[in-house]
Amino acid sequence: MKDLLRLRTSLTEEIETLLNEQIKVEAYSSSLYLAMSSWCDRNGYDNSAGYLEKQSGEEREHMLKLFRYVNDLGGSAVSPEVINIPQEFDSFKGVFEMALQQEIQVTSNFNRIADRCQKANDYVTFQFLQWFLKEQVEEEYVARRILELFEVIGEEGTGRWEIDKHIPKVSFGISGE
């Protein structure tokens, strides 16, 4: 029966597994950003809390986009269990350092999946992944610019307050667009 059902999807087992693993990573990212939002809220960084809550929602949307894709192609998307989400962070800056690390890991994962798609001649999924790869350019850019605020403004005196004020304004735009 499994072989018969497999005929209903153009996804190989390997690609379906990789996509399900990425669904879990996106769910983790969403939960991590939400925990970061809560930490910022508790520590008086209201603008950052709102920004991180928004990021959490975007990561959930990424998860659902992958989830729907797997199901739409006749695969079996797996609702992920998310565990080991930190609730405490060392510092305000540390929150955003962790965010950048997470985004770099996500980019690496998508590159690995795209590579496997090419090797499996799964150009439909490869094309689908292009949206995520482009999105990761923006995600990493914004995370790096936010960390630069800590260097440019500094954390002394009212520095963290100024940084918090600027975080929601950081955006990405490709020259010429």
Side-chain angles (χ1 to χ4, degrees):
M1 183 67 166
K2 184 176 180 183
D3 290 339
L4 180 59
L5 290 175
R6 178 65 46 205
L7 294 176
R8 294 182 6 194
T9 179
S10 60
L11 295 172
T12 65
E13 284 188 47
E14 177 193 21
I15 300 301
E16 184 177 326
T17 297
L18 290 171
L19 291 172
N20 273 310
E21 288 170 3
Q22 190 60 32
I23 288 168
K24 186 172 184 173
V25 169
E26 297 295 329
Y28 180 89
S29 293
S30 178
S31 295
L32 179 62
Y33 278 123
L34 199 58
M36 291 172 169
S37 172
S38 180
W39 185 90
C40 285
D41 185 64
R42 288 192 314 274
N43 286 281
Y45 304 115
D46 295 346
N47 293 307
S48 296
Y51 166 80
L52 291 163
E53 183 179 326
K54 182 178 174 240
Q55 286 302 113
S56 173
E58 287 183 15
E59 299 302 328
R60 184 172 189 281
E61 284 300 315
H62 300 169
M63 177 197 73
L64 290 172
K65 189 172 187 143
L66 289 161
F67 191 88
R68 290 179 191 119
Y69 178 81
V70 170
N71 280 337
D72 287 349
L73 265 65
S76 181
V78 177
S79 179
E81 178 181 10
V82 181
I83 58 173
N84 298 323
I85 302 298
Q87 301 301 314
E88 296 300 325
F89 302 90
D90 294 333
S91 67
F92 186 39
K93 183 179 181 182
V95 165
F96 292 98
E97 289 171 338
M98 185 178 283
L100 177 58
Q101 288 173 338
Q102 184 68 15
E103 294 301 341
I104 290 169
Q105 182 60 51
V106 169
T107 301
S108 176
N109 289 355
F110 276 118
N111 281 327
R112 184 173 50 87
I113 298 167
D115 179 64
R116 295 307 308 151
C117 286
Q118 282 190 314
K119 289 179 177 158
N121 295 323
D122 183 349
Y123 298 107
V124 171
T125 303
F126 180 80
Q127 183 61 38
F128 170 74
L129 293 175
Q130 299 313 299
W131 182 89
F132 291 96
L133 290 165
K134 184 177 178 185
E135 179 74 8
Q136 283 310 116
V137 171
E138 177 181 345
E139 299 287 354
E140 283 190 37
Y141 175 90
V142 169
R144 282 189 178 89
R145 296 302 77 83
I146 287 172
L147 282 173
E148 286 176 356
L149 291 174
F150 286 87
E151 302 303 317
V152 172
I153 296 172
E155 295 184 71
E156 297 76 34
T158 61
R160 278 178 256 172
W161 179 79
E162 279 294 324
I163 292 167
D164 183 55
K165 200 167 72 172
H166 285 83
I167 284 175
K169 299 174 188 171
V170 177
S171 64
F172 175 76
I174 297 175
S175 298
E177 278 191 11

